Amino acid sequence: MKSFFRYTLLVGLIVGLGAPVVKAAKGPRKSKKDELVTISTSQGDIRLILFNETPLHKTNFLKLAQSGFYNGTTFHRVIPNFMVQGGDPSSKDSDPTNDGSGAPDEKMIPAEIRPELTHKRGAVAAARTPDFINPQRQSSASQFYIVQNPQGTPHLNGQYTVFGQVISGQDIVDKIAQQPTADRNRPVTDIKMTVKVEKLRKKKITELYGYQY
C-alpha cells in the first residue's frame, strides 16, 4: 500500500382460540464494558474506542494492539487540516522510503462502510488502496488514520471504513499534524507509537472522558 489513497416481530394472535403466542427472540446481551485503546506518542496520549457496528475492524485492531504489533510503528503521513496516518509495519525499519507500503502478504479486511459512521473530527478509519485496484474498498490490515480537521472530512464519507472515535487527546492529534514534514508528508522526526488496550466499564469511560454510549 503506497499511501493513504493507494491505501419488531409481527405475530397474529387470536385470543381465545388457543393460538400459540410467539415471542420475539432476545438479542445478544449488551456488555457493560468496552475496550479503551491508548496510543502513546512523544507528543502525548490519544485515547479511543472502537465501534461494535464494524466488528471485523474492531476485532482486527484489538488483536494487533494486544499482540504488540503496533508498538514501534509510526505516524508516517501527516497533513494539517486533514488527517494523520500510521500503523504500517514497514515504518519500523530504517528505510523511510517504504513507509506506507504495507506488508507484501497483507490480507485485506472487507469493507464495513456504514452511513451513520462519518468522518467527523477524531474519527478513526482504515486506509486502503484506490478504487481502480480495489473496487470493493477493502481496508488495510493495519494502517489507519485519524481525522484532524476541525470540520471533519465529509468528502471521504462512504469511501472508507470508519471504525472508531478519539475520546481524549485530540489536541495530541493536532500536535502530530503540525510536525515538520519531508517528502510524502512524512514527519522529519519519527513519531513512534505504543498501543495498549484495557477493558473498563462503559460507565467509567463516560465518567473519565465524557463519551456517551
Side-chain angles (χ1 to χ4, degrees):
M1 188 164 312
K2 299 301 180 185
S3 73
F4 171 81
F5 287 103
R6 50 184 200 244
Y7 218 68
T8 79
L9 177 63
L10 296 179
V11 179
L13 301 179
I14 304 176
V15 180
L17 296 182
V21 177
V22 180
K23 295 183 179 180
K26 293 183 179 179
R29 186 175 181 180
K30 291 185 178 180
S31 174
K32 293 184 178 181
K33 293 185 177 182
D34 197 4
E35 289 85 1
L36 176 70
V37 178
T38 300
I39 301 175
S40 298
T41 74
S42 58
Q43 302 298 313
D45 293 345
I46 304 165
R47 293 183 174 85
L48 50 94
I49 56 91
L50 307 178
F51 299 138
N52 291 329
E53 293 86 351
T54 53
L56 299 178
H57 287 72
K58 179 173 183 174
T59 298
N60 178 74
F61 191 97
L62 292 176
K63 180 181 179 180
L64 293 178
Q66 291 167 332
S67 72
F69 173 93
Y70 284 118
N71 298 341
T73 62
T74 73
F75 282 101
H76 64 270
R77 185 169 184 252
V78 306
I79 304 177
N81 294 315
F82 186 24
M83 61 87 218
V84 301
Q85 179 178 338
D88 178 20
S90 298
S91 67
K92 290 184 179 183
D93 63 28
S94 59
D95 181 6
T97 65
N98 66 5
D99 291 4
S101 61
D105 57 347
E106 181 177 47
K107 185 177 181 180
M108 309 295 278
I109 306 172
E112 295 180 293
I113 299 172
R114 298 179 62 98
E116 73 273 23
L117 303 178
T118 62
H119 284 77
K120 62 184 180 180
R121 176 170 168 84
V124 182
R128 66 173 179 85
T129 48
D131 287 357
F132 71 90
I133 59 172
N134 178 22
Q136 297 83 14
R137 296 178 172 174
Q138 298 179 93
S139 300
S140 163
S142 66
Q143 293 189 57
F144 64 95
Y145 60 93
I146 302 175
V147 176
Q148 185 265 330
N149 192 306
Q151 282 73 50
T153 56
H155 62 285
L156 298 181
N157 290 342
Q159 300 185 54
Y160 297 79
T161 297
V162 174
F163 65 97
Q165 179 66 39
V166 171
I167 62 173
S168 174
Q170 185 64 35
D171 59 320
I172 304 305
V173 177
D174 292 342
K175 289 181 180 180
I176 293 173
Q178 295 298 328
Q179 296 303 299
T181 59
D183 293 342
R184 296 178 295 114
N185 306 112
R186 186 185 185 279
V188 173
T189 301
D190 286 353
I191 304 174
K192 295 183 179 183
M193 69 179 81
T194 300
V195 183
K196 71 175 184 178
V197 180
E198 54 187 325
K199 202 160 191 174
L200 298 177
R201 293 180 66 84
K202 293 178 178 178
K203 183 178 179 180
K204 186 66 174 180
I205 293 176
T206 297
E207 290 175 353
L208 290 173
Y209 306 110
Y211 181 76
Q212 299 292 329
Y213 286 89

